[in-house]
Amino acid sequence: MSRRPPGRSARGSGYFWWWICLAGGVLQAASVAWPFPGWSLPGMSAGQPSGFWQIVSLSMLVLALQYATRVGQAAWRGWVFSTAWLSGTFWWLFISLHTYGGLPAWLAVVAVLTLAGLLSIYYAVAVGLLCSWAPVSRTAQALLFASLWTLAELARGHWFTGFPWGAGGYAQVDLMAPWAPLVGVYGMGFLAAILAYALASLISGLWRRVSTWMLSPVSRPVGRTAVGSRMAAPGPRVQARVVPGLTDGWWGLARTCLLLLAVAALLMSMLAGGQAWRTLGHRGTTGAGELRVWLLQGNIPQDQKFEPGTGIAQALSWYPQQIGLAVDAARANTATGPQLVVAPETAIPLLPDQLGAEFWKPLLGSLADQPVGGVSTLVGLPLGSLEEGYTNSVWGLNPETAAKERDRVDVPGALGSGIYRYDKNHLVPFGEFIPPLFRWFTDLMNIPLGDFNRGGLAQPSWPVAGQRLAPNICFEDLFGEELAASFGSAATAPTVLINLSNIAWFGDSVAIDQHLQISRLRAIELGRPMLRATNTGATAVIDHNGVVTHQLERLTRGRLEATVQGRNGITPYAQWTARWGLMPMWVGCLVLVLVIASLRSLGRRGGRTRRR
């Protein structure tokens, strides 16, 4: 990427940069949520993100690219970095494949590494194009790197159903929070890539200056030879520029000043922005009243969840019991009792018709025997039939609908026709649908898999206690542009987001912490509180600023009682994403790439490429 002609690298340098890329990728994975509770790097703590270390880790890749002499070498380094990053991010897939799926350990490891390696091709192509089209100008290189890297992130997040888990922007949920309601996670990743390039260029520039000084001849004072003639001391072989651009004329000086000002402004926005800046993205949102909630966490082990004598029995007993207690608490004190109870994804692990009237009549009866405006509940469960197909769904029950449904429990197939229903739209590959040509792989696992039907995009919100509730299931909150599709109109946009998940598939791993950070960023982007009801964690309440105000201890059975404030209005990110999706991000990055690639001779002088 230095525009130097290909040549033979110093012996052993390839191994050195391989280790740099490997270490940088692992650090990139850890920056989204630090996985080690016993020790941490400075400024990090267990389960928390670090925008600073994410920038540092990405700058390690940029350094390796700046010392690459061939396009293939650069692509290889990008692939190593990305494979280490992605496998270090979602290594916990091994738990679901081996512990619960029954795959041999070696095959589960191969599957995780294969997935990471395939997804890393996006980034390898991106850095290969970067080094093939690299302009001489460092400013243009920084913009080209950020654009290509963001395009790779977008491709990973959307092509072939998309799996953007662990995108670099999630590590910036704290450091770049003011940018989230303006440009979203991919825009934050773009800005972080520019800073990473600037940091790498600063390090490499300083190293070259030091190397030049160390290798330059020792200066000797002017003296006289034996015959009396003057002899000048030899000068340095390379004239190092202290500030790039000062010898490039006015255009070079202006370009350098613009780059320095942009980097300085970006740093100021992260570290020293005032209250007006930090609330700029949420300026168009206002409070929509309070909602008292109970969030349920059953902590039913995944290997028991679908077993009739253990997990199913526990679920069918504990969750209805909690709903009954909520009804009693609301009757006892309408001012402090809960208005909404949320049970997690597949809290009821059977189809409604499999349960029968002996289960539904007591549950519906307790909800129906309330005054209007009493406790409502959201419950995750599977729906459908063999003929129509199945869906991963949520039912919303309030006193009015519960009373109507109670009267038709005994009618076969009639239950649920009047109940609010949300069907999962973005399905999990291999878990909820089987990609073509991969049936052989799923047949190796002992997991209840199937091909589920998709729900529609932008499904209606559910009105409860003056709020408009928008459920999403499992990793659907990973796709901010899909949640934003419901924000086309301020009058109908949801006021509260609710995520129902079951992360028990991945044990007590960093997946719990990573998912919490994802939900935090969605809350900031859309300017809405996010309620999380999960089986094993993290069950939490997140306000519209991304602050976790309440959280239940993971891997425990209990309920989280909290009061949350809904929000009206639409953030800039929600506004442009609801209208155009992520197309502006795609187009903007592509335009930058095409313009810079076509003008990559920028910085040449006298028809000769200068070494930068």
Side-chain angles (χ1 to χ4, degrees), residues 258-278:
L258 287 174
L259 175 62
L260 293 176
L261 286 174
V263 172
L266 185 53
L267 291 174
M268 288 289 290
S269 72
M270 296 187 300
L271 303 176
Q275 185 65 18
W277 159 247
R278 294 190 173 277

Side-chain angles (χ1 to χ4, degrees), residues 200-533:
S201 297
L202 176 64
I203 294 172
S204 61
L206 290 175
W207 174 249
R208 282 196 297 271
R209 296 335 181 242
V210 171
S211 300
T212 300
W213 178 78
M214 293 287 291
L215 297 176
S216 62
V218 177
S219 298
R220 290 180 292 181
V222 176
R224 292 183 180 272
T225 62
V227 295
S229 60
R230 297 178 60 86
M231 181 181 66
R237 298 176 183 175
V238 178
Q239 290 289 341
R241 293 176 296 165
V242 178
V243 179
L246 293 182
T247 61
D248 296 348
W250 287 106
W251 166 240
L253 178 61
R255 191 173 65 237
T256 299
C257 290
L258 287 174
L259 175 62
L260 293 176
L261 286 174
V263 172
L266 185 53
L267 291 174
M268 288 289 290
S269 72
M270 296 187 300
L271 303 176
Q275 185 65 18
W277 159 247
R278 294 190 173 277
T279 59
L280 177 64
H282 291 159
R283 188 172 296 176
T285 66
T286 58
E290 294 184 339
L291 179 69
R292 299 183 300 277
V293 300
W294 281 13
L295 306 178
L296 306 183
Q297 181 173 287
N299 193 36
I300 298 174
Q302 189 59 45
D303 56 356
Q304 300 177 18
K305 185 171 176 60
F306 297 102
E307 295 297 325
T310 53
I312 292 178
Q314 294 176 51
L316 299 184
S317 171
W318 190 77
Y319 287 116
Q321 178 190 50
Q322 293 300 308
I323 294 172
L325 291 175
V327 171
D328 293 340
R331 284 200 188 107
N333 193 329
T334 57
T336 60
Q339 298 168 295
L340 175 70
V341 179
V342 185
E345 175 186 14
T346 58
I348 297 176
L350 299 176
L351 296 169
D353 291 342
Q354 293 177 304
L355 295 171
E358 62 275 10
F359 173 81
W360 287 111
K361 281 188 176 180
L363 176 60
L364 295 173
S366 64
L367 290 169
D369 296 335
Q370 300 180 90
V372 175
V375 175
S376 300
T377 183
L378 282 171
V379 180
L381 76 172
L383 296 175
S385 64
L386 183 62
E387 295 77 18
E388 299 176 355
Y390 300 100
T391 58
N392 188 355
S393 303
V394 175
W395 264 3
L397 294 165
N398 58 29
E400 295 81 6
T401 57
K404 295 177 182 179
E405 295 300 316
R406 180 179 56 179
D407 296 335
R408 46 185 157 187
V409 165
D410 295 320
V411 179
L415 184 63
S417 58
I419 297 176
Y420 171 81
R421 173 175 173 174
Y422 172 82
D423 296 329
K424 188 176 182 181
N425 168 261
H426 206 118
L427 303 179
V428 178
F430 301 101
E432 293 166 327
F433 78 95
I434 301 172
L437 306 179
F438 280 93
R439 173 66 68 176
W440 64 271
F441 180 73
T442 59
D443 288 343
L444 296 175
M445 293 184 286
N446 184 27
I447 295 179
L449 303 174
D451 282 320
F452 283 72
N453 294 334
R454 297 178 185 272
L457 192 64
Q459 298 175 50
S461 300
W462 186 40
V464 172
Q467 305 289 338
R468 296 184 295 273
L469 310 182
N472 58 85
I473 300 175
C474 191
F475 82 149
E476 282 190 307
D477 62 345
L478 190 59
F479 302 89
E481 67 282 0
E482 295 181 359
L483 299 189
S486 299
F487 286 74
S489 168
T492 58
T495 59
V496 177
L497 303 174
I498 303 177
N499 179 262
L500 299 85
S501 291
N502 174 31
I503 308 295
W505 287 107
F506 313 117
D508 184 15
S509 69
V510 74
I512 295 175
D513 304 301
Q514 292 170 347
H515 201 186
L516 180 63
Q517 306 311 324
I518 291 168
S519 294
R520 290 182 59 207
L521 189 52
R522 288 293 90 78
I524 305 173
E525 282 179 345
L526 301 173
R528 294 295 188 271
M530 177 77 80
L531 308 180
R532 291 178 46 81

Side-chain angles (χ1 to χ4, degrees), residues 82 85 119-127 146-159 186 586:
S82 302
W85 159 34
L119 294 176
S120 295
I121 294 175
Y122 295 123
Y123 303 96
V125 171
V127 298
S147 299
L148 286 169
W149 194 256
T150 303
L151 287 172
E153 290 272 49
L154 288 166
R156 176 167 75 96
H158 295 87
W159 292 356
Y186 293 108
W586 281 96

Side-chain angles (χ1 to χ4, degrees), residues 582-600:
L582 291 176
M583 188 57 64
M585 192 69 63
W586 281 96
V587 172
C589 290
L590 281 171
V591 167
L592 272 175
V593 168
L594 294 176
V595 169
I596 294 172
S598 63
L599 300 176
R600 64 181 183 271

